C-alpha cells in the first residue's frame, strides 16, 4: 500500500457532510437500538403485531428505520434522496424492495415496475445500474427443479420459459436505455440456474460493452471458481464479462438447510476464508479488466482499500467506468462518501416501496446489523464521533 492510495475511513466530516445534525441524531438512535439483538427481535415482533392489529405505527417506522435505509415509497418519491447523493458524486441503484405476490400476475407486475424504473433511470445520469432478483420473476420451486435436473411438467416448462422471457424483457429495456443491469445472487439450491440464464444474457447483450452483471457471494466456498469459469465461458463466446462481488446474505438459511438435508455446507469454514476469496475475486477482475467489469459490493474497509491498491498498482484511473464500489443506503457512509470525494465511482443501493411492504427488507437490515460482528457498533461509533466533532 502506498501513501498515495491510503484512504482515511475515519474521516467522519466527509462521511456525514450530507447529513444535518438532526438527521445524524436520528441515525444515532437507530444504530444504538441495533446494538442490542434482543431489542431488534422485540421490535420486529411488536411491529408485526401492531400492523396486524392496524395500530398507527407506520409513521414511527417511516421516521426511523425507513428513513435510514430506504429512499422513498416510490422511485419518484426517492428522488430527493437521489439528488442528495448526486450532490456528493454518489450514484444510485434503485432497488424495488417489495416481496411481490408469488403468482404469474405478481411476477408480471414486477416486470412492469422494472421497466418503469429503466425508463425513469434513462432520464437520470446518477442512475448507472438497474437491479433485479430472479425470484421476483417466477417460482423458486421451478428453478430448484431445473437445478436438480428433474423433469418439468408441460405447465412448469411454460412457467420456466416465462421466467426467462421476463428477465430478457427487463434487461433488453435497460440495455436499450444504455443502463447496466445487475442480477442479484440468491440461495444456492437454484443459483446455478440464475448463473446460466445470466451468462446467456451476457452473450446476447455484452457483445459491444458490459451491460449485464452476475453476482457472486464469496462466502460460498465454490463461488470464486464459479466466477472464473463463468468468465472463461462468456469470454469464449466473444462477450464482455461483468460481476458484482459480495460476501453474502443467506448464511444462516444455507447452513440450516444443508444440515437438515444432509449435504455439504456451501459456506466457507471461516470469515478469513471468505475474505481471502473475496480479495482473490477482486484481483482476478482487475487482472482481466480488458474483458471484465467489476462492482465491489462491500461494507468491508479492508477490501475497499485492497481494491484501491490494486487499481493503483495497475495504473487504473479512479473514475474508470469498469470499476465501481457499492454500499447500501444508510450504511458505511464513511466508505461511500470518502471514496466519492476521492474521485472513485460509488453507488448506493437505494431500496424503495410502500413502508408496510418493505418491512421484510428493513427487518433483515436490522437483523444483519446485529449479527455481523461489530457492524452496528461500528456505524454507531462513527455517528457518535461526528456528533461529538460538531459539538466541539
Amino acid at each position: 500500500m502506498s501513501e498515495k492510495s491510503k484512504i482515511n475511513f475515519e474521516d467522519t466530516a466527509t462521511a456525514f457532510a450530507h447529513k444535518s445534525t438532526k438527521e445524524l441524531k436520528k441515525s444515532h438512535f437507530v444504530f444504538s437500538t441495533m446494538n442490542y439483538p434482543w431489542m431488534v427481535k422485540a421490535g420486529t415482533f411488536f411491529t408485526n403485531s401492531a400492523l396486524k392489529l392496524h395500530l398507527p405505527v407506520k409513521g414511527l417506522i417511516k421516521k426511523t428505520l425507513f428513513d435510514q435505509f430506504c429512499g422513498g415509497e416510490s422511485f419518484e418519491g426517492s428522488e430527493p434522496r437521489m439528488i442528495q447523493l448526486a450532490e456528493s458524486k454518489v450514484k444510485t441503484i434503485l432497488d424495488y424492495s417489495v416481496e411481490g405476490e408469488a403468482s404469474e400476475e405478481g411476477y408480471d407486475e414486477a416486470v412492469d415496475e422494472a421497466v418503469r424504473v429503466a425508463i425513469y433511470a434513462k432520464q437520470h445520469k446518477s442512475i448507472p445500474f438497474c437491479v433485479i432478483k430472479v425470484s421476483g420473476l417466477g417460482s423458486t420451486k421451478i428453478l430448484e427443479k431445473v437445478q436438480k435436473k428433474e423433469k418439468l411438467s408441460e405447465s412448469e416448462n411454460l412457467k420456466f420459459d416465462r421466467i426467462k422471457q421476463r428477465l430478457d424483457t427487463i434487461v433488453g429495456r435497460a440495455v436499450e436505455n444504455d443502463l447496466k443491469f445487475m442480477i442479484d445472487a440468491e440461495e444456492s439450491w437454484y443459483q446455478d440456474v440464475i448463473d446460466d440464464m445470466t451468462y446467456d444474457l451476457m452473450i446476447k447483450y455484452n457483445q459491444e460493452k458490459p451491460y449485464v452483471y452476475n453476482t457472486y457471494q464469496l462466502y460460498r466456498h465454490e463461488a470464486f471458481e464459479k466466477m472464473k469459469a463463468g468468465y472463461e465461458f462468456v469470454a469464449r463466446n466473444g462477450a464482455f464479462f461483468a460481476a458484482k462481488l459480495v460476501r453474502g446474505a443467506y448464511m444462516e438459511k444455507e447452513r440450516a438447510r444443508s444440515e437438515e438435508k444432509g449435504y455439504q455446507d456451501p459456506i466457507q469454514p471461516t470469515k478469513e476464508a471468505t475474505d481471502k476469496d473475496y480479495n482473490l475475486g477482486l484481483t482476478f477482475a482487475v487482472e482481466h479488466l480488458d474483458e471484465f467489469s467489476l462492482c465491489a459490493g462491500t461494507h468491508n474497509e479492508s477490501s475497499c482499500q485492497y481494491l484501491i491498491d490494486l487499481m493503483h498498482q495497475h495504473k487504473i484511473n479512479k473514475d474508470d467506468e469498469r470499476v465501481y464500489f457499492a454500499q447500501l443506503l444508510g450504511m458505511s457512509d464513511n466508505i461511500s462518501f470518502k471514496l466519492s470525494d476521492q474521485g472513485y465511482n460509488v453507488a448506493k443501493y437505494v431500496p424503495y416501496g410502500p413502508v408496510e411492504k418493505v418491512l421484510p427488507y428493513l427487518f433483515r437490515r436490522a437483523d444483519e446489523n446485529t449479527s455481523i460482528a461489530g457492524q452496528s457498533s461500528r456505524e454507531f461509533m462513527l455517528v457518535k464521533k461526528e456528533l461529538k466533532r460538531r459539538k466541539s
Side-chain angles (χ1 to χ4, degrees), residues 268-288:
Q268 300 268 20
T270 63
K271 182 183 180 302
E272 288 73 24
T274 298
D275 293 342
K276 178 187 174 187
D277 273 10
Y278 193 90
N279 288 350
L280 282 172
L282 297 178
T283 302
F284 185 87
V286 170
E287 289 177 350
H288 295 81

Side-chain angles (χ1 to χ4, degrees), residues 147-280:
Q147 178 150 320
K148 291 195 289 188
K149 295 181 169 52
E150 292 181 3
K151 185 174 175 59
L152 301 183
S153 68
E154 186 177 344
S155 170
E156 287 172 331
N157 262 314
L158 288 170
K159 287 179 178 178
F160 182 52
D161 286 342
R162 286 287 292 141
I163 296 171
K164 291 187 282 188
Q165 288 165 10
R166 289 181 184 115
L167 189 56
D168 186 76
T169 296
I170 299 166
V171 174
R173 180 54 67 93
V175 172
E176 185 183 313
N177 291 345
D178 201 30
L179 295 163
K180 301 181 179 85
F181 195 93
M182 292 178 175
I183 297 170
D184 273 344
E186 302 198 48
E187 285 88 347
S188 62
W189 48 96
Y190 55 90
Q191 181 61 47
D192 290 353
V193 184
I194 294 173
D195 289 346
D196 290 342
M197 287 192 287
T198 306
Y199 297 148
D200 287 344
L201 291 166
M202 284 187 188
I203 292 165
K204 180 176 180 178
Y205 291 109
N206 287 12
Q207 292 291 327
E208 300 298 325
K209 60 190 284 192
Y211 283 110
V212 182
Y213 285 61
N214 198 21
T215 303
Y216 297 90
Q217 301 184 99
L218 277 303
Y219 74 170
R220 289 182 55 188
H221 53 72
E222 79 280 30
F224 175 56
E225 292 302 324
K226 281 182 177 286
M227 185 196 79
K228 288 199 296 181
Y231 162 79
E232 287 162 7
F233 173 72
V234 171
R236 276 199 310 272
N237 282 275
F240 289 97
F241 189 78
K244 178 177 71 170
L245 303 189
V246 300
R247 277 172 168 76
Y250 307 101
M251 185 166 70
E252 290 177 7
K253 188 191 288 189
E254 291 278 3
R255 286 205 155 135
R257 189 178 189 273
S258 65
E259 186 175 344
E260 178 193 337
K261 295 188 176 288
Y263 60 82
Q264 183 186 2
D265 183 354
I267 304 301
Q268 300 268 20
T270 63
K271 182 183 180 302
E272 288 73 24
T274 298
D275 293 342
K276 178 187 174 187
D277 273 10
Y278 193 90
N279 288 350
L280 282 172

Side-chain angles (χ1 to χ4, degrees), residues 101-109 137-139 159 162 166:
E101 183 187 343
S103 67
E104 293 302 297
E105 295 77 16
Y107 301 139
D108 286 338
E109 286 173 11
L137 303 177
S139 165
K159 287 179 178 178
R162 286 287 292 141
R166 289 181 184 115

